[in-house]
Structures are given as C-alpha cells and as structure tokens.
Amino acid sequence: MKLLTHNLLSSKSLKGVKVGYPLRIVAKDVKINESKFNKEFVKKIIPKLDWQVFINAAVQIGHNNDLSDELIDDYENNDEFLKKVHHLLVEIEIINGELICPETDRVFPISDGIPNLLLNVNEVP
Amino acid sequence: MIINTPTYSISDHVSLDENNGEFDTSPSVYEPAEDTFLMLDVFELDLEQVIKNRLSKTNMTVGSSTKCGPLMVVELGSGFGILTAAISKALSDTLSSIAVGAHCIAVDMNPTACLKTIMTCKLNDVEVDAVRGDLLTWMRRPETTNISNDSNKEVFGPIDILLFNPPYVRGPKGELAPTPRVTKIDTNDEAKYQKLVAVEDAAWLGGGPDGVDVLKRALHQAADLLSEYGVFYALMIDYNYDALVRDEMQARRERADQNIYYDDLNNIELTTFGSSPANRPLVCTRILSRNIIGERLAVYRIYRPIDFN
C-alpha cells in the first residue's frame, strides 16, 4: 500500500466513529519500488491530497525527508520538491503493519501490502 | 485499439516476489468471463470520449500540456483485476496522449482476489494498490478532509472512474451478499448447484431478489464519492435494470413527482442515491448490451450530467 492510497482511507464506517480520519500507521515492513518520475502526475495530484495527513503519514513510517507540513508556494516549478513528493507518494510501499482508527484504536492489519478494512457485523451501526 | 485485453493467469497459485512462497488460490476467485469482456468492450467504446469531454474539465493540466490530470480509478469486487489492469495499461499506453496517468485501487472482500489482482497487474506491468474491504466503506468522506482547492465549491468525492461487475444473479431465495466469491458454476447441474449455493461464501449470486442489492449499496456510496465529472461503469443483467427503474418510478410516485413518463428507457435519471439525491441526481445510460448464454447483459455509465451554465 502506498501513501497515496493511505490518504483516502478512513474508519468512518465503524459504529460510533465521527470522522475516522486519518488512520495512524505502524509500519513493520516497508519496501521501496523505484518508479519513473511523472512530473505532471505529481504536480496535479498534490491539490487532491490532504497534505498534512500525507506528511504525518511519511513521519509515522520514518521516511519524511524534510518536507514541511505547510505546502510550499510555487511547488509546480520545483522539480527537487516534486521528486521528493513522488518518492513518498508512490515509491514507498508498506508491506506489513497496522492502521489504527484515531477514535477507537481499532487495528486494521496490513499484510502482503494489502490493508484489511473489512468490519465485523457487530462493528457496523 | 484503445483497450488491449490484459494478460492473466488462471493458475491456482499466486506468487509474489516479496513472499518467496505461493498462495493456493483455488477455487475461490471468479474467473474472467463474458461479462468481464463486455466491460472491456465498453471501455473501448466510451473511455476516450469520457476522458476528453468530462474528466479533463476539472483535471486539465495548466501550462503547455493539455492532458487530463491524474485519474483516480477504483474497481469494486476486482477478482482477477482484469478491468483495473486494462484501464491502467491503456492510460499509460494508448491513452497516454490525453491523460497523465492514473492511481488505481482495487477492492475485494476476498484476500485471494486481492492477491490475484496484484498478480494480474504485475503481469501487465502496471501499478495497483489492493484494499480488502466492503465496497467503498473504507474511503474518506469529502466533508471530513482538508483539500486545498475545494474551499468554496460543492464538495465532491475523489473517484474519477469507478468500475463494478457486481454479483448480478438473483439469489434463489433472495440471499444477501455475504463474504467471498466462488468460481463460476454450471447452473444446469442441479446437484452441484444446490451444493454450492449452500456454501455461504457465494457472494456472486448474493444480490437479493432482484440481484441488485449490492449494486444499490454501491450506488449510494458512489453518489457521494464520485468526483464532479466522475463516471461509474456498472454491469447489469436485464432484471437488475428493471428493478432499478421500478424503484426509481416508485420513489417519484411517492413524492408526487409528475415526471414519471419522460425518461428514455436507455437513459434514466436516478434520484434516490447518496446523501443529497434530489440536488444531485445521477443519470444511468446504457452503453452496450449483449446476449450471452441466455442472459441479457448490459453495461451502464452512471454520472452527473454536465451543467452548461
């Protein structure tokens, strides 16, 4: 699972949870897959992200390399910055670990790179 | 040719390089069949113009390039992951001149299907993130997040292209959809059929009395999670669609809506899905239908009409 996907995950469907976002990450096993830098893609995906959630997630898995939790101005022309974002967003893969609901501490396991967000019948409102 | 059929393997073993081992996958993942290929044919017919005429309206890249921005693609009940692999491959290949790429997420309740999807995407050299989950219940809601450029606009979801080949067969007793899928079985073989129906994980025929219950849940979620110009491609059998139309007409009658007779039967407005259905109705348009071994299957595109004001 990549951080780009993590940016979309929530535990809102759990009974009693109001926001359920973002899920805290505990990464046990992280892999780096080099992939081709697609500048246009990164530039246009940034406005679609919850930036602070993305930066916090990078910190939680121990991979934040000096990006600030305030999005810089004029990032569209800053190749060095965009390459760092590319690396964090799509090259880092969490293989094994846990996602944790911010309100209930319910743990969602990640194994073989796949987060398991299925709920039990008694956890649904 | 815009959409090439992806390579896939129906071997019972899934091998992932990070595991040095294999997973026995038999016999629990629905194999690609006629319905899968009907969906691929629909992408061939419809996807290019949807990207050009709809999705590029919010995703247009500023500056020199006029390509459509990154597309968020989500497939529900991905099984082998053929649909995700096909779209992802097309966007990085035959459609790369009109779009800058996609982020694909494939969802299935069945962990083996998640692995199969990852394997199929690897075989086709495309990226996917698999999520084990129930439809879109795991996705963040638009109103709970801080997205920089959404401040004074109506809030839409993140999904640009949603794909679903749902469990469309009527449950013999109106079964609800429980857990993972089994492989396709021969409904003429009565003994085998009864035995397999007894297996509680036959999610593919768990669509309720009209076969449409799971799709209706997905429509409720999609209405809130599609992007402004996003599209939802869904496959239905004839009686699924009949049930949707019937429910829609009943809802209109209950609220004394006079507009009961004006829809074109291949192009109906759906006013009952999502958290604010009346303000933001969806339109369901038939793209392609085909007779397949006694079944009348069709793929529909469900979307919000573009407001030309």
Side-chain angles (χ1 to χ4, degrees), chain B:
Chain B
M1 176 63 79
I2 294 163
I3 304 293
N4 292 302
T5 304
T7 310
Y8 60 95
S9 162
I10 54 167
S11 147
D12 286 344
H13 295 92
V14 174
S15 173
L16 294 175
D17 51 11
E18 55 266 28
N19 285 288
N20 299 324
E22 290 189 328
F23 300 83
D24 185 10
T25 68
S26 66
S28 57
V29 182
Y30 183 90
E31 286 179 16
E34 294 84 349
D35 45 0
T36 318
F37 300 120
L38 183 63
M39 291 285 279
L40 294 183
D41 292 343
V42 164
F43 302 158
E44 174 87 34
L45 272 176
D46 201 51
L47 195 57
E48 184 176 13
Q49 60 107 354
V50 157
I51 292 172
K52 282 182 176 163
N53 300 337
R54 293 185 56 88
L55 295 170
S56 55
K57 289 195 185 304
T58 44
N59 287 318
M60 194 66 80
T61 307
V62 275
S64 53
S65 166
T66 53
K67 287 184 189 180
C68 181
L71 296 171
M72 191 68 73
V73 179
V74 179
E75 179 180 2
L76 304 176
S78 63
F80 267 61
I82 301 290
L83 305 181
T84 296
I87 289 214
S88 186
K89 207 169 165 55
L91 285 167
S92 66
D93 182 17
T94 45
L95 293 171
S96 63
S97 58
I98 59 168
V100 302
H103 179 61
C104 298
I105 301 178
V107 187
D108 208 297
M109 293 198 286
N110 178 346
T112 311
C114 292
L115 291 168
K116 274 280 188 194
T117 294
I118 291 173
M119 189 179 79
T120 300
C121 287
K122 263 181 212 248
L123 273 175
N124 291 279
D125 201 24
V126 293
E127 285 287 325
V128 68
D129 265 358
V131 168
R132 189 171 173 212
D134 175 22
L135 303 179
L136 294 168
T137 54
W138 47 272
M139 186 171 254
R140 76 180 184 199
R141 308 301 192 273
E143 67 277 8
T144 58
T145 40
N146 298 308
I147 307 299
S148 52
N149 67 349
D150 271 353
S151 47
N152 50 16
K153 276 196 340 191
E154 190 176 7
V155 180
F156 292 95
I159 304 174
D160 294 307
I161 301 176
L162 182 62
L163 313 170
F164 195 17
N165 178 2
Y168 59 79
V169 180
R170 256 182 208 133
K173 299 191 189 79
E175 287 88 343
L176 296 175
T179 38
R181 299 174 163 201
V182 294
T183 30
K184 207 162 211 182
I185 53 170
D186 180 8
T187 47
N188 296 322
D189 184 345
E190 188 63 24
K192 196 177 169 197
Y193 182 68
Q194 289 305 332
K195 189 173 149 222
L196 275 163
V197 166
V199 176
E200 71 159 351
D201 68 359
W204 62 271
L205 49 59
D210 300 306
V212 81
D213 289 3
V214 181
L215 180 63
K216 275 164 59 181
R217 282 185 62 220
L219 281 166
H220 272 297
Q221 298 168 358
D224 293 335
L225 291 168
L226 279 178
S227 67
E228 186 172 6
Y229 298 105
V231 294
F232 178 8
Y233 290 106
L235 183 137
M236 293 183 233
I237 193 166
D238 47 8
Y239 55 75
N240 297 161
Y241 185 69
D242 294 347
L244 269 193
V245 173
R246 180 198 64 208
D247 292 353
E248 171 63 29
M249 292 307 153
Q250 197 158 355
R252 289 187 200 178
R253 201 184 57 190
E254 277 165 16
R255 56 171 194 258
D257 189 334
Q258 297 302 308
N259 177 24
I260 290 188
Y261 302 106
Y262 299 113
D263 293 85
D264 164 355
L265 258 189
N266 295 321
N267 202 18
I268 189 177
E269 197 173 71
L270 300 175
T271 60
T272 63
F273 294 104
S275 53
S276 54
N279 303 335
R280 304 192 296 176
L282 295 162
V283 170
C284 177
T285 299
R286 178 178 291 159
I287 306 295
L288 183 65
S289 56
R290 190 174 288 161
N291 284 321
I292 293 162
I293 42 173
E295 295 181 341
R296 182 79 178 160
L297 300 181
V299 177
Y300 295 80
R301 164 158 43 87
I302 297 143
Y303 57 99
R304 292 203 169 80
I306 295 176
D307 184 359
F308 286 102
N309 292 332

Side-chain angles (χ1 to χ4, degrees), chain A residues 1-5 7-13 18-19 21 31 33 35 38 40-51 71 76 90 93 95 112-119, chain B residues 16-19 23 59-62 65 69-70 72 100-103 105 109 111 114-115 118 127-134 137-141 144-149 158 160:
Chain A
M1 185 193 73
K2 301 171 193 70
L3 291 190
L4 180 46
T5 297
N7 212 264
L8 295 167
L9 301 181
S10 137
S11 55
K12 174 80 165 67
S13 296
K18 290 195 174 67
V19 178
Y21 184 81
K31 198 176 75 173
N33 293 319
S35 75
N38 180 342
E40 291 297 310
F41 182 94
V42 178
K43 222 161 79 173
K44 295 301 286 182
I45 203 83
I46 287 174
K48 297 184 174 196
L49 294 174
D50 188 316
W51 181 260
L71 182 56
E76 297 194 343
V90 296
E93 178 125 22
I95 303 297
D112 299 322
I114 304 165
N116 180 359
L117 292 145
L118 277 181
L119 303 177
Chain B
L16 294 175
D17 51 11
E18 55 266 28
N19 285 288
F23 300 83
N59 287 318
M60 194 66 80
T61 307
V62 275
S65 166
M72 191 68 73
V100 302
H103 179 61
I105 301 178
M109 293 198 286
C114 292
L115 291 168
I118 291 173
E127 285 287 325
V128 68
D129 265 358
V131 168
R132 189 171 173 212
D134 175 22
T137 54
W138 47 272
M139 186 171 254
R140 76 180 184 199
R141 308 301 192 273
T144 58
T145 40
N146 298 308
I147 307 299
S148 52
N149 67 349
D160 294 307

